């Protein structure tokens, strides 16, 4: 039923609904509406994005603090239960194991029942989304609630499960950024803009790290290194603003709750400042970085292999497909048994395999903090060994200073986590988390040494997960030899291009459309010239063909030109490749603009296409050349 309209007295003639005219207090409501419009114009004069970015940071800080507060109380309850249960080993074991098993099972069952997208870290999927691929449901708001509840239960499992918070919270922050981006479109009345939405998503990734560690600098840099290969300076400012708001609010809540006297680092340390390390110790820090690099290669290989085994093994794959909570409970039982005091879970070797097993559990969980802790334990072990080998310290210039094992723990944490994730910003993260920067140079050298080894032999943890999950992925060109720059588009492009010419009979057009499933078809001037004019979307072409009958007057054969004359839209092609374009140039173009597909033209003629499939094959041939026949 159509709504009745009328004219307001003294108006210019714009119709309004009768409900608005005859509703209670129309003048007051119009005044309030006008005041709100005036306030919106004044506030949005500096740019509406800043308000939404600040809202994003504050909201995620509130959620992060509430989650940490809840997890702390649940962990305290578990500790109290374990201490009060008595001296019987069976009861103590049950109180130790049943608690995390129940939490992990509920986390898996609850999150997976709402949406399968809530499991895991979420960062590999976010990398795929930010590269231009559309993944359904990963940024849906219902996924947000499932991941919040599931992650809280996972963290409440404590050190038994040995999982963290960073990855899922980055996913949560990006989901909130996507929602606020849609809210911004509704508030401002502007049409939806993909680049604006992408800016919010990038800022959300930085906020996710910043509100977990209260580290805005490393949060922005970590999101740049992990999420994308190219980064806009415009996004850099926005990311810093949102991350600073989030980190400030997160630590401010701790002060309001009387947990801190003032805003300080999350894990404050007090290393010796006057002479934190002697010059000869630089060698040991670099050696620690090399050790962490080798360990990271072993971890990445074992984790990716075991994850692939779990997904392909008939027993585990069936269990994951039919009963994820049961698989989660069994994995939690193994982990709880290993960590039961005085179990073997205290030893680093068992922690190594426990972390690999924990990454296969289908629950919302982060994997950065466990590897950060494992690296810190490795560094501390080496630092204590050096302290025993040199009890009075290393003599340098006639002065003896004792070795600080904590500095090696800091370097090991940054080096191992940086090598696993292929990032350098972990060094800055370690400084922001501890409030100490006196070991800046040796820690950075350890991180560089670890990354040099890890990046030469293994993909990063997130890239490896993308490979195992078979997500759409465009790899880097790791081969930087001069010969790789001689590879051009002509060597690997797809020459089997399907074109539609203006003079193509409609019968042939129908055959092409029904026999292929392309999303768009290139339109050329004629069958002979093959000069590219633009593209036609499949849906619009099918609609135009259905609207026009194939029969025509005797002696006249209808062609595609007649359908175009009726108004079938033709979209221009603004970006093309040349057969002489190098592989590196094409790869940079695809990554910079988040492209999936490009046409190749020579003097205006359509000669081929290049997509991710052709690029991956070319990169593989350059990185691992096939054996000569």
């Amino acid at each position: 039923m159509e709504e009745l309209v009328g004219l307001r007295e003294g108006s210019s003639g714009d119709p309004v609904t009768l409900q608005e005219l005859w509703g209670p207090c129309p003048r007051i409501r119009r005044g309030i509406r006008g005041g709100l419009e005036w306030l919106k114009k004044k506030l949005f004069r500096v740019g509406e994005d800043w308000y939404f970015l600040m809202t994003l940071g504050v909201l995620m800080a509130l959620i992060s603090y509430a989650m940490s507060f809840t997890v702390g109380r649940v962990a305290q309850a578990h500790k109290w239960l374990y201490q009060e249960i008595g001296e019987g080993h069976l009861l103590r074991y049950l109180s130790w194991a049943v608690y995390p098993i129940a939490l992990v099972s509920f986390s898996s069952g609850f999150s997976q029942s709402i949406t399968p997208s809530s499991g895991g870290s979420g960062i590999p999927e976010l990398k795929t989304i930010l590269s231009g691929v559309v993944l359904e449901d990963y940024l849906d708001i219902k996924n947000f609630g499932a991941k919040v509840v599931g992650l809280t239960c996972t963290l409440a499992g404590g050190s038994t499960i040995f999982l963290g918070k960073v990855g899922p919270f980055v996913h949560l922050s990006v989901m909130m950024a996507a929602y606020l981006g849609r809210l911004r479109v509704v508030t401002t009345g502007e049409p939806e803009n993909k680049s604006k939405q992408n800016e919010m998503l990038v800022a959300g990734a930085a906020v996710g790290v910043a509100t977990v560690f209260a580290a805005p600098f490393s949060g922005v840099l970590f999101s740049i290194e992990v999420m994308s290969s190219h980064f806009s300076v415009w996004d850099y400012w926005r990311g810093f603003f949102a991350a600073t708001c989030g980190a400030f609010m997160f630590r401010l809540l701790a002060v309001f709750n009387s947990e801190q006297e003032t805003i300080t680092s999350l894990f404050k340390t007090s290393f010796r400042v006057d002479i934190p390390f002697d010059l000869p110790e630089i060698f040991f820090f670099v050696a620690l970085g090399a050790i962490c690099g080798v360990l990271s290669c072993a971890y990445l290989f074992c984790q990716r292999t075991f994850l692939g085994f779990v997904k392909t093994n008939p027993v585990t794959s069936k269990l994951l497909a039919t009963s994820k909570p049961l698989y989660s409970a069994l994995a939690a039982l193994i982990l709880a048994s290993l960590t039961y005091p005085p179990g073997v879970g205290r030893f680093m070797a068992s922690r190594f395999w426990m972390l690999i097993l924990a990454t296969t559990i289908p629950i919302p969980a982060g994997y950065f903090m466990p590897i950060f802790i494992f690296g810190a334990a490795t560094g501390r072990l080496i630092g204590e060994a050096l302290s025993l080998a040199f009890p009075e310290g290393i003599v340098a210039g006639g002065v003896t200073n004792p070795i600080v094992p904590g500095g090696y723990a800091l370097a090991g944490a940054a080096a191992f986590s940086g090598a696993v994730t292929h990032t350098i910003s972990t060094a800055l993260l370690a400084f922001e988390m501890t409030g100490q920067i006196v070991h800046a140079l040796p820690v950075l050298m350890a991180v560089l040494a670890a990354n040099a080894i890890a990046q030469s032999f293994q993909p990063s943890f997130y890239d490896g997960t993308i490979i195992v999950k078979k997500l759409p992925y465009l790899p880097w060109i790791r081969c930087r030899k001069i010969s790789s720059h001689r590879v051009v588009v002509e060597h690997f492009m797809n020459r089997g291009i399907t074109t539609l010419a203006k003079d193509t009979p409609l019968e042939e057009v129908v055959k092409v459309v029904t026999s292929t499933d392309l999303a768009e078809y290139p339109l050329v001037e004629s069958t002979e010239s093959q000069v590219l004019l633009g593209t036609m979307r499949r849906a619009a072409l099918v609609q135009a063909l259905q609207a026009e009958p194939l029969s025509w007057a005797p002696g006249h054969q209808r062609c595609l030109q007649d359908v175009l004359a009726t108004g079938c839209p033709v979209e221009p092609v603004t970006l093309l490749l040349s057969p002489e374009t190098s592989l590196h140039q094409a790869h940079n173009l695809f990554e910079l603009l988040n492209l999936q597909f490009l046409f190749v033209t020579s003097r205006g003629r359509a000669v081929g296409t290049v997509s991710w499939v052709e690029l991956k094959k070319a990169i593989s041939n350059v990185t691992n050349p096939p054996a000569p026949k």
Side-chain angles (χ1 to χ4, degrees), residues 587-606:
H587 183 269
N588 289 336
L589 198 61
F590 270 72
E591 282 201 325
L592 183 61
L593 301 179
N594 296 332
L595 301 174
Q596 306 291 321
F597 178 88
L598 278 180
F599 290 104
V600 182
T601 60
S602 177
R603 298 180 181 179
R605 297 179 67 251

PDB file of all heavy atoms in Angstrom, residues 587-606:
ATOM      1  N   HIS A 587      53.432  -8.879 -11.669  1.00  0.00           N
ATOM      2  CA  HIS A 587      53.187  -9.316 -10.288  1.00  0.00           C
ATOM      3  C   HIS A 587      52.961  -8.116  -9.379  1.00  0.00           C
ATOM      4  O   HIS A 587      52.039  -8.113  -8.545  1.00  0.00           O
ATOM      5  CB  HIS A 587      54.384 -10.143  -9.807  1.00  0.00           C
ATOM      6  CG  HIS A 587      54.216 -10.708  -8.434  1.00  0.00           C
ATOM      7  ND1 HIS A 587      54.637 -10.031  -7.300  1.00  0.00           N
ATOM      8  CD2 HIS A 587      53.663 -11.865  -7.995  1.00  0.00           C
ATOM      9  CE1 HIS A 587      54.356 -10.757  -6.232  1.00  0.00           C
ATOM     10  NE2 HIS A 587      53.775 -11.878  -6.616  1.00  0.00           N
ATOM     11  N   ASN A 588      53.785  -7.076  -9.502  1.00  0.00           N
ATOM     12  CA  ASN A 588      53.615  -5.873  -8.690  1.00  0.00           C
ATOM     13  C   ASN A 588      52.279  -5.206  -8.961  1.00  0.00           C
ATOM     14  O   ASN A 588      51.614  -4.702  -8.046  1.00  0.00           O
ATOM     15  CB  ASN A 588      54.755  -4.883  -8.949  1.00  0.00           C
ATOM     16  CG  ASN A 588      56.072  -5.359  -8.384  1.00  0.00           C
ATOM     17  OD1 ASN A 588      56.112  -6.166  -7.455  1.00  0.00           O
ATOM     18  ND2 ASN A 588      57.173  -4.878  -8.936  1.00  0.00           N
ATOM     19  N   LEU A 589      51.867  -5.202 -10.217  1.00  0.00           N
ATOM     20  CA  LEU A 589      50.593  -4.584 -10.592  1.00  0.00           C
ATOM     21  C   LEU A 589      49.427  -5.340  -9.966  1.00  0.00           C
ATOM     22  O   LEU A 589      48.486  -4.741  -9.425  1.00  0.00           O
ATOM     23  CB  LEU A 589      50.458  -4.569 -12.114  1.00  0.00           C
ATOM     24  CG  LEU A 589      49.424  -3.609 -12.720  1.00  0.00           C
ATOM     25  CD1 LEU A 589      49.766  -2.176 -12.361  1.00  0.00           C
ATOM     26  CD2 LEU A 589      49.394  -3.764 -14.235  1.00  0.00           C
ATOM     27  N   PHE A 590      49.455  -6.656 -10.009  1.00  0.00           N
ATOM     28  CA  PHE A 590      48.386  -7.466  -9.427  1.00  0.00           C
ATOM     29  C   PHE A 590      48.309  -7.259  -7.915  1.00  0.00           C
ATOM     30  O   PHE A 590      47.215  -7.172  -7.350  1.00  0.00           O
ATOM     31  CB  PHE A 590      48.617  -8.942  -9.741  1.00  0.00           C
ATOM     32  CG  PHE A 590      47.974  -9.399 -11.020  1.00  0.00           C
ATOM     33  CD1 PHE A 590      48.482  -9.012 -12.248  1.00  0.00           C
ATOM     34  CD2 PHE A 590      46.859 -10.210 -11.001  1.00  0.00           C
ATOM     35  CE1 PHE A 590      47.900  -9.429 -13.431  1.00  0.00           C
ATOM     36  CE2 PHE A 590      46.258 -10.639 -12.167  1.00  0.00           C
ATOM     37  CZ  PHE A 590      46.778 -10.251 -13.395  1.00  0.00           C
ATOM     38  N   GLU A 591      49.472  -7.192  -7.248  1.00  0.00           N
ATOM     39  CA  GLU A 591      49.470  -7.029  -5.797  1.00  0.00           C
ATOM     40  C   GLU A 591      49.077  -5.620  -5.374  1.00  0.00           C
ATOM     41  O   GLU A 591      48.334  -5.429  -4.414  1.00  0.00           O
ATOM     42  CB  GLU A 591      50.843  -7.362  -5.235  1.00  0.00           C
ATOM     43  CG  GLU A 591      51.120  -8.856  -5.121  1.00  0.00           C
ATOM     44  CD  GLU A 591      52.222  -9.138  -4.116  1.00  0.00           C
ATOM     45  OE1 GLU A 591      53.144  -8.307  -4.033  1.00  0.00           O
ATOM     46  OE2 GLU A 591      52.157 -10.167  -3.437  1.00  0.00           O
ATOM     47  N   LEU A 592      49.549  -4.626  -6.102  1.00  0.00           N
ATOM     48  CA  LEU A 592      49.299  -3.241  -5.725  1.00  0.00           C
ATOM     49  C   LEU A 592      47.830  -2.870  -5.867  1.00  0.00           C
ATOM     50  O   LEU A 592      47.264  -2.174  -5.019  1.00  0.00           O
ATOM     51  CB  LEU A 592      50.161  -2.307  -6.583  1.00  0.00           C
ATOM     52  CG  LEU A 592      50.087  -0.807  -6.280  1.00  0.00           C
ATOM     53  CD1 LEU A 592      50.550  -0.542  -4.855  1.00  0.00           C
ATOM     54  CD2 LEU A 592      50.923  -0.012  -7.263  1.00  0.00           C
ATOM     55  N   LEU A 593      47.184  -3.366  -6.920  1.00  0.00           N
ATOM     56  CA  LEU A 593      45.794  -3.000  -7.202  1.00  0.00           C
ATOM     57  C   LEU A 593      44.806  -4.104  -6.853  1.00  0.00           C
ATOM     58  O   LEU A 593      43.619  -3.984  -7.169  1.00  0.00           O
ATOM     59  CB  LEU A 593      45.649  -2.621  -8.685  1.00  0.00           C
ATOM     60  CG  LEU A 593      46.513  -1.454  -9.165  1.00  0.00           C
ATOM     61  CD1 LEU A 593      46.295  -1.195 -10.648  1.00  0.00           C
ATOM     62  CD2 LEU A 593      46.193  -0.193  -8.364  1.00  0.00           C
ATOM     63  N   ASN A 594      45.286  -5.184  -6.226  1.00  0.00           N
ATOM     64  CA  ASN A 594      44.415  -6.308  -5.835  1.00  0.00           C
ATOM     65  C   ASN A 594      43.627  -6.841  -7.029  1.00  0.00           C
ATOM     66  O   ASN A 594      42.403  -6.995  -6.982  1.00  0.00           O
ATOM     67  CB  ASN A 594      43.450  -5.884  -4.717  1.00  0.00           C
ATOM     68  CG  ASN A 594      44.161  -5.503  -3.445  1.00  0.00           C
ATOM     69  OD1 ASN A 594      45.254  -5.995  -3.175  1.00  0.00           O
ATOM     70  ND2 ASN A 594      43.565  -4.628  -2.664  1.00  0.00           N
ATOM     71  N   LEU A 595      44.344  -7.126  -8.111  1.00  0.00           N
ATOM     72  CA  LEU A 595      43.706  -7.586  -9.341  1.00  0.00           C
ATOM     73  C   LEU A 595      43.619  -9.110  -9.362  1.00  0.00           C
ATOM     74  O   LEU A 595      44.393  -9.802  -8.704  1.00  0.00           O
ATOM     75  CB  LEU A 595      44.504  -7.106 -10.558  1.00  0.00           C
ATOM     76  CG  LEU A 595      44.682  -5.584 -10.688  1.00  0.00           C
ATOM     77  CD1 LEU A 595      45.610  -5.266 -11.853  1.00  0.00           C
ATOM     78  CD2 LEU A 595      43.341  -4.901 -10.887  1.00  0.00           C
ATOM     79  N   GLN A 596      42.661  -9.607 -10.119  1.00  0.00           N
ATOM     80  CA  GLN A 596      42.503 -11.048 -10.300  1.00  0.00           C
ATOM     81  C   GLN A 596      42.722 -11.469 -11.749  1.00  0.00           C
ATOM     82  O   GLN A 596      43.026 -12.635 -12.015  1.00  0.00           O
ATOM     83  CB  GLN A 596      41.083 -11.468  -9.899  1.00  0.00           C
ATOM     84  CG  GLN A 596      40.670 -11.039  -8.506  1.00  0.00           C
ATOM     85  CD  GLN A 596      41.415 -11.765  -7.425  1.00  0.00           C
ATOM     86  OE1 GLN A 596      41.666 -12.957  -7.534  1.00  0.00           O
ATOM     87  NE2 GLN A 596      41.794 -11.055  -6.380  1.00  0.00           N
ATOM     88  N   PHE A 597      42.609 -10.494 -12.692  1.00  0.00           N
ATOM     89  CA  PHE A 597      42.561 -10.862 -14.104  1.00  0.00           C
ATOM     90  C   PHE A 597      42.859  -9.622 -14.938  1.00  0.00           C
ATOM     91  O   PHE A 597      42.400  -8.526 -14.615  1.00  0.00           O
ATOM     92  CB  PHE A 597      41.156 -11.403 -14.412  1.00  0.00           C
ATOM     93  CG  PHE A 597      40.923 -11.774 -15.837  1.00  0.00           C
ATOM     94  CD1 PHE A 597      41.229 -13.040 -16.299  1.00  0.00           C
ATOM     95  CD2 PHE A 597      40.380 -10.866 -16.730  1.00  0.00           C
ATOM     96  CE1 PHE A 597      40.997 -13.392 -17.619  1.00  0.00           C
ATOM     97  CE2 PHE A 597      40.153 -11.199 -18.045  1.00  0.00           C
ATOM     98  CZ  PHE A 597      40.464 -12.474 -18.478  1.00  0.00           C
ATOM     99  N   LEU A 598      43.640  -9.786 -15.995  1.00  0.00           N
ATOM    100  CA  LEU A 598      43.931  -8.685 -16.919  1.00  0.00           C
ATOM    101  C   LEU A 598      44.010  -9.219 -18.346  1.00  0.00           C
ATOM    102  O   LEU A 598      44.446 -10.357 -18.576  1.00  0.00           O
ATOM    103  CB  LEU A 598      45.252  -7.997 -16.562  1.00  0.00           C
ATOM    104  CG  LEU A 598      45.244  -6.948 -15.436  1.00  0.00           C
ATOM    105  CD1 LEU A 598      46.642  -6.395 -15.230  1.00  0.00           C
ATOM    106  CD2 LEU A 598      44.260  -5.830 -15.738  1.00  0.00           C
ATOM    107  N   PHE A 599      43.591  -8.374 -19.293  1.00  0.00           N
ATOM    108  CA  PHE A 599      43.731  -8.708 -20.713  1.00  0.00           C
ATOM    109  C   PHE A 599      45.117  -8.290 -21.200  1.00  0.00           C
ATOM    110  O   PHE A 599      45.719  -7.343 -20.696  1.00  0.00           O
ATOM    111  CB  PHE A 599      42.669  -7.991 -21.543  1.00  0.00           C
ATOM    112  CG  PHE A 599      41.275  -8.504 -21.316  1.00  0.00           C
ATOM    113  CD1 PHE A 599      40.379  -7.787 -20.551  1.00  0.00           C
ATOM    114  CD2 PHE A 599      40.867  -9.711 -21.873  1.00  0.00           C
ATOM    115  CE1 PHE A 599      39.097  -8.250 -20.341  1.00  0.00           C
ATOM    116  CE2 PHE A 599      39.586 -10.188 -21.664  1.00  0.00           C
ATOM    117  CZ  PHE A 599      38.701  -9.460 -20.893  1.00  0.00           C
ATOM    118  N   VAL A 600      45.585  -9.018 -22.209  1.00  0.00           N
ATOM    119  CA  VAL A 600      46.864  -8.704 -22.844  1.00  0.00           C
ATOM    120  C   VAL A 600      46.567  -8.277 -24.278  1.00  0.00           C
ATOM    121  O   VAL A 600      45.885  -9.004 -25.025  1.00  0.00           O
ATOM    122  CB  VAL A 600      47.812  -9.920 -22.839  1.00  0.00           C
ATOM    123  CG1 VAL A 600      49.155  -9.553 -23.455  1.00  0.00           C
ATOM    124  CG2 VAL A 600      48.007 -10.444 -21.425  1.00  0.00           C
ATOM    125  N   THR A 601      47.053  -7.099 -24.663  1.00  0.00           N
ATOM    126  CA  THR A 601      46.822  -6.582 -26.015  1.00  0.00           C
ATOM    127  C   THR A 601      48.144  -6.225 -26.665  1.00  0.00           C
ATOM    128  O   THR A 601      49.101  -5.815 -25.992  1.00  0.00           O
ATOM    129  CB  THR A 601      45.921  -5.338 -25.994  1.00  0.00           C
ATOM    130  OG1 THR A 601      46.551  -4.313 -25.201  1.00  0.00           O
ATOM    131  CG2 THR A 601      44.555  -5.664 -25.408  1.00  0.00           C
ATOM    132  N   SER A 602      48.183  -6.384 -27.972  1.00  0.00           N
ATOM    133  CA  SER A 602      49.337  -5.988 -28.782  1.00  0.00           C
ATOM    134  C   SER A 602      48.839  -5.085 -29.894  1.00  0.00           C
ATOM    135  O   SER A 602      48.079  -5.530 -30.766  1.00  0.00           O
ATOM    136  CB  SER A 602      50.023  -7.236 -29.360  1.00  0.00           C
ATOM    137  OG  SER A 602      51.090  -6.869 -30.204  1.00  0.00           O
ATOM    138  N   ARG A 603      49.216  -3.808 -29.831  1.00  0.00           N
ATOM    139  CA  ARG A 603      48.738  -2.800 -30.786  1.00  0.00           C
ATOM    140  C   ARG A 603      47.219  -2.760 -30.830  1.00  0.00           C
ATOM    141  O   ARG A 603      46.610  -2.630 -31.893  1.00  0.00           O
ATOM    142  CB  ARG A 603      49.309  -3.074 -32.182  1.00  0.00           C
ATOM    143  CG  ARG A 603      50.825  -3.001 -32.254  1.00  0.00           C
ATOM    144  CD  ARG A 603      51.335  -3.270 -33.642  1.00  0.00           C
ATOM    145  NE  ARG A 603      52.795  -3.223 -33.687  1.00  0.00           N
ATOM    146  CZ  ARG A 603      53.525  -3.446 -34.790  1.00  0.00           C
ATOM    147  NH1 ARG A 603      52.898  -3.756 -35.929  1.00  0.00           N
ATOM    148  NH2 ARG A 603      54.838  -3.370 -34.743  1.00  0.00           N
ATOM    149  N   GLY A 604      46.610  -2.888 -29.683  1.00  0.00           N
ATOM    150  CA  GLY A 604      45.162  -2.817 -29.581  1.00  0.00           C
ATOM    151  C   GLY A 604      44.440  -4.127 -29.759  1.00  0.00           C
ATOM    152  O   GLY A 604      43.262  -4.241 -29.413  1.00  0.00           O
ATOM    153  N   ARG A 605      45.122  -5.154 -30.291  1.00  0.00           N
ATOM    154  CA  ARG A 605      44.497  -6.444 -30.526  1.00  0.00           C
ATOM    155  C   ARG A 605      44.560  -7.301 -29.272  1.00  0.00           C
ATOM    156  O   ARG A 605      45.594  -7.396 -28.618  1.00  0.00           O
ATOM    157  CB  ARG A 605      45.181  -7.175 -31.677  1.00  0.00           C
ATOM    158  CG  ARG A 605      45.082  -6.457 -33.028  1.00  0.00           C
ATOM    159  CD  ARG A 605      45.799  -7.216 -34.127  1.00  0.00           C
ATOM    160  NE  ARG A 605      45.126  -8.489 -34.406  1.00  0.00           N
ATOM    161  CZ  ARG A 605      45.621  -9.670 -34.083  1.00  0.00           C
ATOM    162  NH1 ARG A 605      46.790  -9.764 -33.457  1.00  0.00           N
ATOM    163  NH2 ARG A 605      44.962 -10.775 -34.388  1.00  0.00           N
ATOM    164  N   ALA A 606      43.438  -7.939 -28.938  1.00  0.00           N
ATOM    165  CA  ALA A 606      43.397  -8.851 -27.782  1.00  0.00           C
ATOM    166  C   ALA A 606      44.106 -10.144 -28.159  1.00  0.00           C
ATOM    167  O   ALA A 606      43.682 -10.855 -29.074  1.00  0.00           O
ATOM    168  CB  ALA A 606      41.958  -9.122 -27.389  1.00  0.00           C
TER     169      ALA A 606
END
